[in-house]
Amino acid sequence: MHTKNEEIALKWLEAFNKHDIEKLIALYSDDAVHYSPKLKILQPETMGFIKGKSHLKQWWVDAFERLPQLHYQLIILTANDKAVCIEYVRKVPGEEDMLVAEILDIEELIIASRVYHG
């Protein structure tokens, strides 16, 4: 049996792997903040941060269009009553697999997410 936050994280992973942008965005609060090193590289003006569902949606639509076979393979999921840490392998055909950790801060919905990788 999974905790509520584990269930949110599993729904997040499923929506991401299906590239189901609407189900993915529905897991976030309206003013959620997201940090990613990829954002910092691809959109340097953001300094790696975006805020709000509309910006999250734009970011992931772009990612799914650029990387149509992008997939996350779950390694481990660790949760408490405030956050979830998901460790996964980022898989894109033709690219080296990348080990990633993502933290989801949750208050009913995801209020913040942070991506960590080398």
Side-chain angles (χ1 to χ4, degrees), residues 22-33:
E22 296 307 322
K23 284 188 180 178
L24 186 60
I25 290 299
L27 297 170
Y28 283 81
S29 68
D30 289 340
D31 59 350
V33 176

Side-chain angles (χ1 to χ4, degrees), residues 54-94:
S54 64
H55 290 111
L56 286 164
K57 186 174 185 174
Q58 289 172 356
W59 172 243
W60 285 317
V61 165
D62 177 66
F64 296 153
E65 286 174 357
R66 282 185 295 108
L67 305 166
Q69 294 180 15
L70 174 63
H71 180 82
Y72 293 164
Q73 180 183 334
L74 179 64
I75 296 173
I76 191 166
L77 187 147
T78 307
N80 63 25
D81 62 338
K82 296 182 184 196
V84 178
C85 177
I86 307 170
E87 291 182 53
Y88 56 84
V89 177
R90 177 186 179 270
K91 295 186 162 287
V92 176

